[in-house]
Amino acid sequence: MRRIAGIVLAVLLIGGVVAAVVAGRQGDDKGTATKTVRGVIGSEKSDFFADPDVVKALAAKGYTVKTEASGSWAMDGLDLKGYDFAFPSSSAPADALAEKYHARQPIPRPFYSPLVVVAHRSAAQVLAANGLAVLDGKGKGTLKMASYLDAARHDRTWQQLKGAKAYGELTGTLYITSTDPETSNSGALYLAAASYVANGGRVVASDAAVTRTAPLLRKLVSVQGAQQPSSDSVFRDFISGAGNPLVCLYESQVVSLLAEQHGSDDLVVLYPDTTVNSDHTVVPLDDAGRALGELLSTDPTLRKLAVRHGFRPQGDSAEFVKATADRAAYLNQTLTGVRQAPVPTSAVLHEMARRARG
């Protein structure tokens, strides 16, 4: 009897231990359980969502976010059934998507990034010597958009600029490399900024204004030949020393690079005196997508991580200024002297891009 009682007791003890372990695991699972949210994002945010710290911060709030990258303007042609949100890189494609999918307003705009032009030092110095730019120290400056557009309008070449002969790489037509405006947000916003200046400081909002600015925009695009679909690609070419010495992209890409390299002797960041902000905007396709967008906008940890990846959180410039103090030699942290041009409607931008591409 004692032997039987011992066996029974052992079984009960083992069962109790197993039950405790299972209960503990279930408790742990409940504490770390996350809701999976799927979205289509602009490619420039891929590194942000892949950052282990971002993944951890989202999980702490109960989210696992799975993303697929797409050109912001190409999202309109995608079947977004089964997705919780779309996250294009500016307000124009976001507003078009919000209307298409009947998203409740207002829609979250967690962070933004202005368009800038990165230049090799030789190119920046020649532009400054010819009145097309003003340099502020060794790593940053201002691009005079009206002067640059006038040079583009008259097909100016590097060889026509004084001082360019000292640099063998500065040859051919003077132009800024941008992305395909029909599929890429940065390329479309480049046209938005240029058209605003060409239209006398007024946003292009009519067929007449589109027609008036189309010849110049066509020159800005046609001189480039084949265009890349992503600003990541043109930035990689620039960093490797290939391609054109002037490239239009997002400030966030520069900030992220500088965080890794802590400066570059051959990099000058030119802020156009008239530029356009890329408002990264979440288009909620359901309640989970809206909750994620609002979390990205308000959570202090996620806002700090957005700055790490070069984005400017909406509503508080001090966060960005403080976090990028070590890169101030390259960044116009407060955007002093930079005018923000309004962005045309999605329909107008599409028409401008179509005509610019010919």
Side-chain angles (χ1 to χ4, degrees), residues 91-355:
S91 57
D95 290 343
L97 286 169
E99 181 177 357
K100 179 178 180 179
Y101 290 96
H102 309 291
R104 175 171 52 85
Q105 296 289 344
I107 51 180
R109 305 184 191 275
F111 39 75
Y112 67 98
S113 185
L115 282 186
V116 299
V117 174
V118 291
H120 293 305
R121 185 166 306 283
S122 58
Q125 290 172 342
V126 170
L127 291 179
N130 288 269
L132 300 175
V134 176
L135 300 185
D136 179 14
K138 74 167 189 174
K140 64 184 176 184
T142 302
L143 177 70
K144 295 183 177 182
M145 278 292 283
S147 298
Y148 165 70
L149 293 177
D150 185 66
R153 187 179 288 110
H154 292 92
D155 302 312
R156 296 279 293 278
T157 65
W158 283 106
Q159 292 93 323
Q160 292 173 321
L161 301 182
K162 64 181 179 181
K165 292 180 180 179
Y167 306 102
E169 70 274 16
L170 299 181
T171 61
T173 305
L174 169 67
Y175 70 91
I176 294 172
T177 294
S178 61
T179 54
D180 183 349
E182 291 193 290
T183 59
S184 171
N185 183 65
S186 61
L189 293 187
Y190 173 53
L191 296 187
S195 67
Y196 182 82
V197 176
N199 197 39
R202 298 183 303 274
V203 65
V204 172
S206 66
D207 288 340
V210 171
T211 299
R212 186 166 53 250
T213 57
L216 175 59
L217 301 188
R218 173 63 180 155
K219 280 195 172 187
L220 297 179
V221 170
S222 62
V223 70
Q224 300 182 46
Q227 291 179 289
Q228 298 272 18
S230 164
S231 58
D232 287 339
S233 300
V234 295
F235 195 27
R236 283 195 299 269
D237 289 345
F238 175 85
I239 295 301
S240 69
N244 195 44
L246 300 173
V247 173
C248 177
L249 40 74
Y250 301 115
E251 179 196 54
S252 58
Q253 294 169 285
V254 180
V255 177
S256 183
L257 172 75
L258 292 172
E260 299 172 3
Q261 296 189 359
H262 305 290
S264 170
D265 289 337
D266 192 36
L267 173 67
V268 178
V269 185
L270 299 175
Y271 287 76
D273 55 14
T274 299
T275 191
V276 173
N277 278 340
S278 176
D279 289 312
H280 296 270
T281 305
V282 175
V283 180
L285 303 176
D286 56 26
D287 290 342
R290 179 170 294 277
L292 176 66
E294 292 173 351
L295 182 66
L296 292 171
S297 302
T298 59
D299 182 74
T301 299
L302 288 168
R303 286 172 66 92
K304 288 180 181 178
L305 290 169
V307 175
R308 177 195 288 181
H309 288 271
F311 302 111
R312 294 175 178 252
Q314 294 282 6
D316 188 358
S317 61
E319 287 180 79
F320 182 84
V321 171
K322 181 179 179 181
T324 59
D326 59 335
R327 286 154 278 176
Y330 296 89
L331 305 176
N332 185 344
Q333 295 173 291
T334 58
L335 299 179
T336 302
V338 176
R339 183 178 187 180
Q340 301 297 325
V343 178
T345 64
S346 176
V348 170
L349 265 180
H350 273 299
E351 180 62 14
M352 288 168 52
R354 185 187 69 80
R355 294 200 194 185

